Structure formats: structure tokens, C-alpha cells
Amino acid sequence: MTARRVAIFGGTHGNEMSGVTLVNLWIQNGKEIHRKGVETKPFITNPRAVEKCTRYVDTDLNRAFTTENLSAPSGDDLPYEVQRAQQINEIFGPKGSPEAYDVIFDLHNTTSNMGCTLILESSKDHFNLQMMHYIKKAIAPDSCPVLLTEHPLLKYSTSRSVAKHPIGLEVGPQPQGVLRSNIFESMRVVLKHALDFIELFNEGLEFPPCTVDVFRVSEKMDYPRDTNGNIIAMVHPNLQDCDWEPLNPGDPMFQTFDGTTLRYEGAGTVYPTFINEAAYYEKQQAFVTTRRETLAAGAIKKT
């Protein structure tokens, strides 16, 4: 394989400002993301949402890349983000085809205390695993967790899934519609190392077998609700901001509005993330639990 065509998506959610700002910066001057032998295309994915500084206009673009949406007859009656998904699939895809872009980086911010998180969609993507191993080593001793979203029931149909090798970058905590310089810089640094890796790969450097520790998505946890569906508890102070830290059976998980502690009753230790993410209230999700595992990546070399 080669990695000649690379896209950097910003503004998939229009109020996640680090990606929006970096991509706009690179559209003006792409010198920083230029690498030998690579065509790198910075791209604003949801311009209307960016203009309004809102997550989306009609529907979540980062869930819109389903087979059904991409094959629907195009027209103005479709939700804006579905029309946009079709256009993006045309430019960077088609999804699942040999013509698709080699790599898409999709830049996101979270209100959760996740730090710099790389998102992997397939445990069998050795190219991405090698890249993530390279990035983790490059930014050490700073941490860079890898979230593996491979799950039989939690299908996301992300904008980056159009590429052969989709990579999400989730950096937080940062409020929606706000820029924080430390978060902005973290995102910039991770992307620099990712592009360096691609350049080295294209120059013929062989990457030997390696292992990567990942957090595999396990289940979505909703807030406790009453019979009318109203939230009756909030994330417990012991859990708030503790993304990637162990949650053991019996640990405090939620606190009701009258002060009662609700404890985690699952089997065994899990590692929660996306804790109290602002954008997930509408998705009825307080956090996701993950389990730790180690993935092995085979050696890779340009062919």
C-alpha cells in the first residue's frame, strides 16, 4: 500500500473550534502540513454548522455516512448533513472503494476530560495501529489514549469512514464554541507527528511489529431517568473528569438531585470516557465504558 492522499477534516461538528481553526489556517497556508510525496487536503466538512457555530444544522454529520444515506437519491429535500455526506463521499470516496482517500484525520473537541485521544475504528488496521504507536512514542511522556470503537452494536458511520484508514482525534476538555490554546496546540502536535509518520512510510521506512494498548468501547451508560424520561441524577463528583480511570463495582457513579449516591453495579473494572460530554445529552449518554486490551500490529512497509 501507499499513503499518497490524505485529508484533514475540521468542522464535522461546527462548534468544535480547534479543528475548525486549524483547518481554516491550513486552507490559507498549507506549508505546515506539507509532506514530501503526500497530497494533504484540509477541508471544512460542515460549513453551515461552522457558520452558525452549532454542532449540526439538521442531523449529526458524524453519524450520517450510512449506506442508506450515501445511496439515497440526492435532492434538496434531504437533511443538509445527508446532502453534505453525499458530497464528501463523492470527493473523498466512494466509501469502501479503491478510489477512496488513503487517510482521513477527523478533528474533534470534547467537553470531557479526555486529553488527546486517538480513535481507531478497526483492530485489524495495522497501518493505523503503527501510526498510533509512533504518535504515542513521539509525545511521551504525555499520554495519548487510543479508543477502539469496534463494536457489533454501536455503529457510528463517521465522516472519516470514507477513507481506507480513518482516524479520529478527540481533544479536551474544551467548551463548545471556545478555543483553548493548550487544547489547540495538543491537536496540532499530534497531527504533526501523524504526518511525519506518513512521510517516513512513503519514503520506504519499514515499521517492525509492535503492540498498542487500546480502550475498547463496551457499553453506553445513560443518566438515571424518571418514568417521563427526565434526568434525575448527575455524574457523581468522584467520577467527573476521571476519564480513562478505573471504575470498579461499588464505586460512586451518579448523584441524584437530593444527594443520593448511585453506584456502579457492572461485573469487573471498566474505564469510562466521554464523561458528561455536553453533546451526548441528546444521545442519552452520560459516558461510555471501555475495557483495556493490547493489540498486535504486524510490520508494515510501502509496496
Side-chain angles (χ1 to χ4, degrees), residues 163-219:
K164 297 184 179 89
H165 302 284
I167 295 180
L169 180 54
E170 192 78 57
V171 193
Q174 178 169 280
Q176 297 171 345
V178 170
L179 258 182
R180 286 185 54 174
S181 54
N182 59 325
I183 301 296
F184 178 87
E185 278 307 318
S186 294
M187 183 176 276
R188 194 178 205 161
V189 165
V190 167
L191 213 73
K192 173 212 165 322
H193 292 307
L195 293 170
D196 290 349
F197 169 86
I198 290 171
E199 184 173 56
L200 290 169
F201 175 79
N202 283 337
E203 284 175 349
L205 184 68
E206 180 169 357
F207 293 87
C210 68
T211 58
V212 181
D213 293 331
V214 303
F215 293 87
R216 183 190 284 269
V217 166
S218 182
E219 65 176 320

Short mmCIF file of all heavy atoms in Angstrom, two decimals, residues 163-219:
data_model
loop_
_atom_site.label_atom_id
_atom_site.label_comp_id
_atom_site.label_asym_id
_atom_site.label_seq_id
_atom_site.Cartn_x
_atom_site.Cartn_y
_atom_site.Cartn_z
N ALA A 163 -12.58 7.02 4.20
CA ALA A 163 -11.19 6.69 3.84
C ALA A 163 -10.86 5.22 4.09
O ALA A 163 -11.54 4.53 4.84
CB ALA A 163 -10.23 7.56 4.65
N LYS A 164 -9.77 4.78 3.45
CA LYS A 164 -9.27 3.42 3.72
C LYS A 164 -8.79 3.31 5.17
O LYS A 164 -8.96 2.28 5.81
CB LYS A 164 -8.12 3.09 2.77
CG LYS A 164 -8.51 3.07 1.29
CD LYS A 164 -7.32 2.64 0.43
CE LYS A 164 -7.67 2.58 -1.04
NZ LYS A 164 -7.45 3.86 -1.74
N HIS A 165 -8.16 4.39 5.65
CA HIS A 165 -7.65 4.39 7.03
C HIS A 165 -8.20 5.62 7.76
O HIS A 165 -7.60 6.70 7.72
CB HIS A 165 -6.12 4.40 7.03
CG HIS A 165 -5.53 3.24 6.30
ND1 HIS A 165 -5.48 1.97 6.82
CD2 HIS A 165 -5.00 3.15 5.05
CE1 HIS A 165 -4.93 1.15 5.94
NE2 HIS A 165 -4.63 1.85 4.86
N PRO A 166 -9.35 5.46 8.44
CA PRO A 166 -9.95 6.59 9.15
C PRO A 166 -9.35 6.77 10.54
O PRO A 166 -9.19 5.79 11.28
CB PRO A 166 -11.43 6.19 9.25
CG PRO A 166 -11.45 4.69 9.11
CD PRO A 166 -10.17 4.23 8.50
N ILE A 167 -9.04 8.01 10.90
CA ILE A 167 -8.50 8.29 12.23
C ILE A 167 -9.24 9.48 12.83
O ILE A 167 -9.30 10.56 12.24
CB ILE A 167 -6.99 8.61 12.18
CG1 ILE A 167 -6.23 7.37 11.72
CG2 ILE A 167 -6.47 9.07 13.54
CD1 ILE A 167 -4.75 7.56 11.64
N GLY A 168 -9.79 9.28 14.02
CA GLY A 168 -10.41 10.38 14.74
C GLY A 168 -9.42 10.92 15.77
O GLY A 168 -8.63 10.16 16.34
N LEU A 169 -9.47 12.22 15.98
CA LEU A 169 -8.66 12.84 17.03
C LEU A 169 -9.62 13.66 17.89
O LEU A 169 -10.30 14.55 17.39
CB LEU A 169 -7.57 13.71 16.43
CG LEU A 169 -6.63 14.42 17.41
CD1 LEU A 169 -5.99 13.44 18.38
CD2 LEU A 169 -5.54 15.17 16.66
N GLU A 170 -9.69 13.30 19.16
CA GLU A 170 -10.65 13.91 20.09
C GLU A 170 -9.83 14.57 21.20
O GLU A 170 -9.11 13.87 21.92
CB GLU A 170 -11.52 12.79 20.66
CG GLU A 170 -12.72 13.23 21.42
CD GLU A 170 -13.89 13.66 20.54
OE1 GLU A 170 -14.36 12.88 19.70
OE2 GLU A 170 -14.31 14.81 20.74
N VAL A 171 -9.90 15.90 21.32
CA VAL A 171 -9.06 16.58 22.30
C VAL A 171 -9.92 17.44 23.24
O VAL A 171 -10.76 18.21 22.78
CB VAL A 171 -7.97 17.45 21.63
CG1 VAL A 171 -6.92 17.88 22.66
CG2 VAL A 171 -7.27 16.69 20.50
N GLY A 172 -9.69 17.27 24.54
CA GLY A 172 -10.47 18.03 25.51
C GLY A 172 -9.77 18.08 26.85
O GLY A 172 -8.69 17.49 27.02
N PRO A 173 -10.32 18.79 27.85
CA PRO A 173 -11.65 19.40 27.80
C PRO A 173 -11.62 20.79 27.19
O PRO A 173 -10.74 21.59 27.48
CB PRO A 173 -12.03 19.48 29.28
CG PRO A 173 -10.72 19.65 30.00
CD PRO A 173 -9.70 18.92 29.18
N GLN A 174 -12.63 21.05 26.35
CA GLN A 174 -12.80 22.38 25.78
C GLN A 174 -14.29 22.63 25.58
O GLN A 174 -14.96 21.80 24.96
CB GLN A 174 -12.07 22.49 24.43
CG GLN A 174 -12.23 23.84 23.75
CD GLN A 174 -11.28 24.01 22.57
OE1 GLN A 174 -10.11 24.31 22.74
NE2 GLN A 174 -11.79 23.81 21.37
N PRO A 175 -14.82 23.75 26.11
CA PRO A 175 -16.25 24.02 25.91
C PRO A 175 -16.57 24.20 24.43
O PRO A 175 -15.72 24.58 23.63
CB PRO A 175 -16.47 25.33 26.68
CG PRO A 175 -15.31 25.45 27.61
CD PRO A 175 -14.16 24.79 26.92
N GLN A 176 -17.83 23.96 24.08
CA GLN A 176 -18.28 24.16 22.70
C GLN A 176 -18.21 25.65 22.37
O GLN A 176 -18.54 26.50 23.18
CB GLN A 176 -19.71 23.64 22.55
CG GLN A 176 -19.78 22.14 22.78
CD GLN A 176 -21.21 21.63 22.87
OE1 GLN A 176 -22.15 22.39 23.03
NE2 GLN A 176 -21.37 20.32 22.76
N GLY A 177 -17.75 25.94 21.15
CA GLY A 177 -17.70 27.33 20.69
C GLY A 177 -16.54 28.13 21.28
O GLY A 177 -16.49 29.34 21.13
N VAL A 178 -15.61 27.44 21.94
CA VAL A 178 -14.50 28.10 22.63
C VAL A 178 -13.18 27.54 22.11
O VAL A 178 -13.10 26.36 21.77
CB VAL A 178 -14.60 27.86 24.16
CG1 VAL A 178 -13.36 28.31 24.90
CG2 VAL A 178 -15.83 28.57 24.73
N LEU A 179 -12.15 28.39 22.07
CA LEU A 179 -10.78 27.92 21.76
C LEU A 179 -9.95 28.01 23.01
O LEU A 179 -9.94 29.06 23.68
CB LEU A 179 -10.14 28.83 20.70
CG LEU A 179 -10.08 28.33 19.27
CD1 LEU A 179 -9.35 29.38 18.42
CD2 LEU A 179 -9.37 26.99 19.12
N ARG A 180 -9.25 26.94 23.35
CA ARG A 180 -8.27 26.97 24.44
C ARG A 180 -6.90 26.66 23.84
O ARG A 180 -6.74 25.65 23.15
CB ARG A 180 -8.62 25.92 25.51
CG ARG A 180 -9.81 26.29 26.36
CD ARG A 180 -10.03 25.29 27.47
NE ARG A 180 -8.82 25.07 28.28
CZ ARG A 180 -8.78 24.33 29.38
NH1 ARG A 180 -9.88 23.74 29.81
NH2 ARG A 180 -7.66 24.18 30.05
N SER A 181 -5.93 27.50 24.13
CA SER A 181 -4.63 27.40 23.46
C SER A 181 -3.95 26.05 23.72
O SER A 181 -3.33 25.48 22.82
CB SER A 181 -3.71 28.54 23.90
OG SER A 181 -3.61 28.58 25.31
N ASN A 182 -4.06 25.52 24.95
CA ASN A 182 -3.39 24.23 25.24
C ASN A 182 -4.01 23.09 24.44
O ASN A 182 -3.30 22.19 23.95
CB ASN A 182 -3.43 23.93 26.75
CG ASN A 182 -4.84 23.84 27.31
OD1 ASN A 182 -5.74 24.56 26.88
ND2 ASN A 182 -5.05 22.96 28.27
N ILE A 183 -5.33 23.12 24.27
CA ILE A 183 -6.03 22.07 23.52
C ILE A 183 -5.70 22.18 22.03
O ILE A 183 -5.42 21.19 21.35
CB ILE A 183 -7.57 22.18 23.77
CG1 ILE A 183 -7.90 22.05 25.27
CG2 ILE A 183 -8.33 21.17 22.94
CD1 ILE A 183 -7.56 20.74 25.91
N PHE A 184 -5.72 23.40 21.53
CA PHE A 184 -5.37 23.71 20.14
C PHE A 184 -3.95 23.20 19.83
O PHE A 184 -3.74 22.51 18.82
CB PHE A 184 -5.45 25.24 19.98
CG PHE A 184 -5.06 25.77 18.63
CD1 PHE A 184 -5.99 25.86 17.60
CD2 PHE A 184 -3.77 26.24 18.39
CE1 PHE A 184 -5.64 26.38 16.36
CE2 PHE A 184 -3.42 26.76 17.16
CZ PHE A 184 -4.36 26.84 16.14
N GLU A 185 -3.00 23.50 20.71
CA GLU A 185 -1.61 23.07 20.49
C GLU A 185 -1.47 21.55 20.54
O GLU A 185 -0.73 20.96 19.75
CB GLU A 185 -0.66 23.71 21.52
CG GLU A 185 -0.25 25.13 21.16
CD GLU A 185 0.33 25.28 19.75
OE1 GLU A 185 1.13 24.43 19.32
OE2 GLU A 185 -0.05 26.24 19.05
N SER A 186 -2.17 20.91 21.48
CA SER A 186 -2.12 19.44 21.57
C SER A 186 -2.56 18.79 20.27
O SER A 186 -1.94 17.85 19.77
CB SER A 186 -3.03 18.93 22.70
OG SER A 186 -2.56 19.34 23.94
N MET A 187 -3.64 19.31 19.71
CA MET A 187 -4.17 18.78 18.45
C MET A 187 -3.15 18.97 17.33
O MET A 187 -2.87 18.05 16.54
CB MET A 187 -5.49 19.47 18.11
CG MET A 187 -6.16 18.93 16.86
SD MET A 187 -7.77 19.71 16.58
CE MET A 187 -8.83 18.71 17.62
N ARG A 188 -2.57 20.14 17.30
CA ARG A 188 -1.59 20.49 16.26
C ARG A 188 -0.37 19.56 16.31
O ARG A 188 0.12 19.09 15.28
CB ARG A 188 -1.17 21.94 16.50
CG ARG A 188 -0.43 22.57 15.38
CD ARG A 188 -0.14 24.03 15.74
NE ARG A 188 0.04 24.83 14.57
CZ ARG A 188 -0.05 26.15 14.56
NH1 ARG A 188 -0.36 26.81 15.67
NH2 ARG A 188 0.15 26.83 13.45
N VAL A 189 0.10 19.29 17.53
CA VAL A 189 1.30 18.45 17.71
C VAL A 189 1.03 17.01 17.28
O VAL A 189 1.84 16.39 16.59
CB VAL A 189 1.76 18.52 19.20
CG1 VAL A 189 2.74 17.41 19.52
CG2 VAL A 189 2.39 19.88 19.49
N VAL A 190 -0.12 16.47 17.68
CA VAL A 190 -0.45 15.08 17.30
C VAL A 190 -0.52 14.96 15.78
O VAL A 190 0.00 14.00 15.19
CB VAL A 190 -1.78 14.62 17.95
CG1 VAL A 190 -2.28 13.33 17.33
CG2 VAL A 190 -1.57 14.41 19.45
N LEU A 191 -1.13 15.94 15.14
CA LEU A 191 -1.24 15.89 13.69
C LEU A 191 0.11 15.99 13.00
O LEU A 191 0.37 15.31 12.00
CB LEU A 191 -2.17 17.00 13.19
CG LEU A 191 -2.93 16.53 11.96
CD1 LEU A 191 -3.99 15.52 12.33
CD2 LEU A 191 -3.53 17.66 11.21
N LYS A 192 1.00 16.79 13.56
CA LYS A 192 2.36 16.91 13.02
C LYS A 192 3.04 15.54 13.02
O LYS A 192 3.62 15.12 12.02
CB LYS A 192 3.16 17.91 13.86
CG LYS A 192 4.64 17.98 13.48
CD LYS A 192 5.51 18.30 14.70
CE LYS A 192 6.98 18.06 14.53
NZ LYS A 192 7.45 16.92 13.78
N HIS A 193 2.96 14.83 14.15
CA HIS A 193 3.60 13.51 14.24
C HIS A 193 2.94 12.49 13.30
O HIS A 193 3.63 11.65 12.70
CB HIS A 193 3.58 13.00 15.68
CG HIS A 193 4.45 13.79 16.60
ND1 HIS A 193 5.78 14.04 16.35
CD2 HIS A 193 4.17 14.42 17.78
CE1 HIS A 193 6.29 14.78 17.33
NE2 HIS A 193 5.34 15.02 18.21
N ALA A 194 1.64 12.59 13.15
CA ALA A 194 0.92 11.68 12.25
C ALA A 194 1.39 11.87 10.81
O ALA A 194 1.66 10.89 10.08
CB ALA A 194 -0.58 11.93 12.35
N LEU A 195 1.54 13.13 10.39
CA LEU A 195 2.00 13.41 9.02
C LEU A 195 3.47 13.02 8.85
O LEU A 195 3.87 12.55 7.77
CB LEU A 195 1.78 14.89 8.69
CG LEU A 195 0.31 15.32 8.59
CD1 LEU A 195 0.20 16.84 8.50
CD2 LEU A 195 -0.39 14.67 7.39
N ASP A 196 4.27 13.19 9.90
CA ASP A 196 5.68 12.73 9.84
C ASP A 196 5.74 11.23 9.60
O ASP A 196 6.54 10.74 8.81
CB ASP A 196 6.41 13.06 11.16
CG ASP A 196 6.66 14.55 11.35
OD1 ASP A 196 6.45 15.32 10.38
OD2 ASP A 196 7.03 14.95 12.47
N PHE A 197 4.87 10.49 10.31
CA PHE A 197 4.82 9.03 10.15
C PHE A 197 4.50 8.67 8.69
O PHE A 197 5.15 7.80 8.10
CB PHE A 197 3.75 8.44 11.08
CG PHE A 197 3.43 7.00 10.80
CD1 PHE A 197 4.18 5.98 11.38
CD2 PHE A 197 2.40 6.64 9.94
CE1 PHE A 197 3.90 4.64 11.11
CE2 PHE A 197 2.11 5.31 9.66
CZ PHE A 197 2.87 4.31 10.25
N ILE A 198 3.52 9.35 8.11
CA ILE A 198 3.13 9.05 6.73
C ILE A 198 4.28 9.34 5.77
O ILE A 198 4.55 8.56 4.85
CB ILE A 198 1.85 9.85 6.35
CG1 ILE A 198 0.65 9.29 7.12
CG2 ILE A 198 1.59 9.80 4.85
CD1 ILE A 198 -0.62 10.12 6.99
N GLU A 199 5.00 10.43 6.01
CA GLU A 199 6.14 10.76 5.16
C GLU A 199 7.23 9.68 5.26
O GLU A 199 7.75 9.22 4.24
CB GLU A 199 6.72 12.13 5.55
CG GLU A 199 7.86 12.57 4.64
CD GLU A 199 8.30 14.00 4.94
OE1 GLU A 199 8.65 14.29 6.10
OE2 GLU A 199 8.31 14.80 4.00
N LEU A 200 7.53 9.26 6.47
CA LEU A 200 8.55 8.21 6.67
C LEU A 200 8.13 6.91 5.98
O LEU A 200 8.93 6.23 5.33
CB LEU A 200 8.78 7.95 8.17
CG LEU A 200 9.48 9.06 8.94
CD1 LEU A 200 9.39 8.81 10.44
CD2 LEU A 200 10.95 9.18 8.51
N PHE A 201 6.85 6.57 6.12
CA PHE A 201 6.31 5.36 5.49
C PHE A 201 6.48 5.45 3.97
O PHE A 201 6.94 4.51 3.32
CB PHE A 201 4.84 5.18 5.86
CG PHE A 201 4.17 4.05 5.16
CD1 PHE A 201 4.35 2.74 5.60
CD2 PHE A 201 3.37 4.27 4.05
CE1 PHE A 201 3.74 1.67 4.93
CE2 PHE A 201 2.75 3.22 3.38
CZ PHE A 201 2.94 1.92 3.83
N ASN A 202 6.12 6.59 3.41
CA ASN A 202 6.21 6.77 1.95
C ASN A 202 7.65 6.78 1.45
O ASN A 202 7.91 6.48 0.29
CB ASN A 202 5.50 8.07 1.52
CG ASN A 202 3.99 7.91 1.52
OD1 ASN A 202 3.47 6.81 1.41
ND2 ASN A 202 3.28 9.02 1.65
N GLU A 203 8.57 7.15 2.35
CA GLU A 203 9.99 7.13 1.96
C GLU A 203 10.56 5.72 2.00
O GLU A 203 11.73 5.51 1.66
CB GLU A 203 10.80 8.06 2.89
CG GLU A 203 10.61 9.53 2.54
CD GLU A 203 11.31 10.46 3.53
OE1 GLU A 203 11.76 9.98 4.59
OE2 GLU A 203 11.39 11.66 3.22
N GLY A 204 9.76 4.75 2.44
CA GLY A 204 10.19 3.35 2.40
C GLY A 204 10.66 2.79 3.73
O GLY A 204 11.11 1.64 3.79
N LEU A 205 10.53 3.58 4.81
CA LEU A 205 10.94 3.07 6.11
C LEU A 205 10.02 1.91 6.52
O LEU A 205 8.80 2.01 6.40
CB LEU A 205 10.86 4.18 7.17
CG LEU A 205 11.34 3.82 8.57
CD1 LEU A 205 12.86 3.59 8.58
CD2 LEU A 205 10.99 4.91 9.57
N GLU A 206 10.64 0.83 6.98
CA GLU A 206 9.82 -0.30 7.47
C GLU A 206 9.58 -0.13 8.96
O GLU A 206 10.48 0.20 9.72
CB GLU A 206 10.54 -1.63 7.21
CG GLU A 206 9.71 -2.80 7.70
CD GLU A 206 10.23 -4.17 7.23
OE1 GLU A 206 11.22 -4.20 6.48
OE2 GLU A 206 9.65 -5.17 7.65
N PHE A 207 8.33 -0.34 9.37
CA PHE A 207 7.98 -0.28 10.78
C PHE A 207 7.82 -1.71 11.29
O PHE A 207 6.98 -2.45 10.79
CB PHE A 207 6.69 0.53 10.97
CG PHE A 207 6.87 1.99 10.65
CD1 PHE A 207 6.70 2.45 9.35
CD2 PHE A 207 7.24 2.90 11.63
CE1 PHE A 207 6.89 3.80 9.03
CE2 PHE A 207 7.43 4.25 11.33
CZ PHE A 207 7.25 4.70 10.03
N PRO A 208 8.65 -2.11 12.28
CA PRO A 208 8.60 -3.50 12.76
C PRO A 208 7.32 -3.78 13.55
O PRO A 208 6.61 -2.84 13.92
CB PRO A 208 9.83 -3.60 13.66
CG PRO A 208 10.09 -2.20 14.11
CD PRO A 208 9.64 -1.31 13.00
N PRO A 209 7.02 -5.05 13.82
CA PRO A 209 5.83 -5.37 14.60
C PRO A 209 5.83 -4.62 15.94
O PRO A 209 6.89 -4.36 16.51
CB PRO A 209 5.94 -6.89 14.84
CG PRO A 209 6.84 -7.38 13.74
CD PRO A 209 7.78 -6.26 13.44
N CYS A 210 4.65 -4.26 16.41
CA CYS A 210 4.55 -3.54 17.69
C CYS A 210 3.22 -3.90 18.35
O CYS A 210 2.37 -4.56 17.76
CB CYS A 210 4.64 -2.03 17.46
SG CYS A 210 3.21 -1.34 16.59
N THR A 211 3.06 -3.45 19.58
CA THR A 211 1.78 -3.62 20.26
C THR A 211 1.27 -2.24 20.69
O THR A 211 2.05 -1.33 20.96
CB THR A 211 1.89 -4.51 21.51
OG1 THR A 211 2.84 -3.94 22.40
CG2 THR A 211 2.31 -5.93 21.14
N VAL A 212 -0.04 -2.12 20.74
CA VAL A 212 -0.68 -0.86 21.14
C VAL A 212 -1.77 -1.16 22.17
O VAL A 212 -2.64 -2.01 21.93
CB VAL A 212 -1.31 -0.13 19.92
CG1 VAL A 212 -1.95 1.19 20.34
CG2 VAL A 212 -0.28 0.11 18.83
N ASP A 213 -1.69 -0.48 23.31
CA ASP A 213 -2.75 -0.60 24.32
C ASP A 213 -3.93 0.25 23.88
O ASP A 213 -3.75 1.42 23.52
CB ASP A 213 -2.26 -0.12 25.69
CG ASP A 213 -1.18 -1.04 26.26
OD1 ASP A 213 -1.20 -2.24 25.93
OD2 ASP A 213 -0.33 -0.55 27.02
N VAL A 214 -5.12 -0.35 23.91
CA VAL A 214 -6.32 0.39 23.50
C VAL A 214 -7.42 0.23 24.55
O VAL A 214 -7.37 -0.68 25.39
CB VAL A 214 -6.86 -0.08 22.12
CG1 VAL A 214 -5.80 0.05 21.04
CG2 VAL A 214 -7.39 -1.51 22.18
N PHE A 215 -8.39 1.12 24.48
CA PHE A 215 -9.60 1.02 25.29
C PHE A 215 -10.74 0.70 24.34
O PHE A 215 -11.13 1.56 23.53
CB PHE A 215 -9.87 2.34 26.01
CG PHE A 215 -8.85 2.69 27.07
CD1 PHE A 215 -7.69 3.40 26.73
CD2 PHE A 215 -9.04 2.33 28.40
CE1 PHE A 215 -6.76 3.75 27.70
CE2 PHE A 215 -8.10 2.67 29.37
CZ PHE A 215 -6.96 3.38 29.03
N ARG A 216 -11.27 -0.51 24.42
CA ARG A 216 -12.34 -0.91 23.50
C ARG A 216 -13.70 -0.52 24.09
O ARG A 216 -14.02 -0.84 25.24
CB ARG A 216 -12.30 -2.42 23.26
CG ARG A 216 -13.35 -2.90 22.24
CD ARG A 216 -13.47 -4.41 22.21
NE ARG A 216 -12.36 -5.04 21.51
CZ ARG A 216 -12.35 -5.31 20.20
NH1 ARG A 216 -13.40 -4.99 19.45
NH2 ARG A 216 -11.31 -5.90 19.65
N VAL A 217 -14.50 0.17 23.28
CA VAL A 217 -15.85 0.57 23.71
C VAL A 217 -16.64 -0.66 24.13
O VAL A 217 -16.67 -1.67 23.42
CB VAL A 217 -16.59 1.32 22.58
CG1 VAL A 217 -18.07 1.43 22.87
CG2 VAL A 217 -16.00 2.71 22.39
N SER A 218 -17.27 -0.57 25.28
CA SER A 218 -18.02 -1.69 25.81
C SER A 218 -19.53 -1.40 25.80
O SER A 218 -20.28 -2.03 25.09
CB SER A 218 -17.51 -1.99 27.23
OG SER A 218 -18.17 -3.09 27.78
N GLU A 219 -19.97 -0.38 26.59
CA GLU A 219 -21.39 -0.02 26.52
C GLU A 219 -21.62 1.45 26.81
O GLU A 219 -20.80 2.11 27.44
CB GLU A 219 -22.24 -0.89 27.46
CG GLU A 219 -21.96 -0.72 28.91
CD GLU A 219 -22.91 -1.55 29.79
OE1 GLU A 219 -24.12 -1.63 29.47
OE2 GLU A 219 -22.44 -2.09 30.80
#
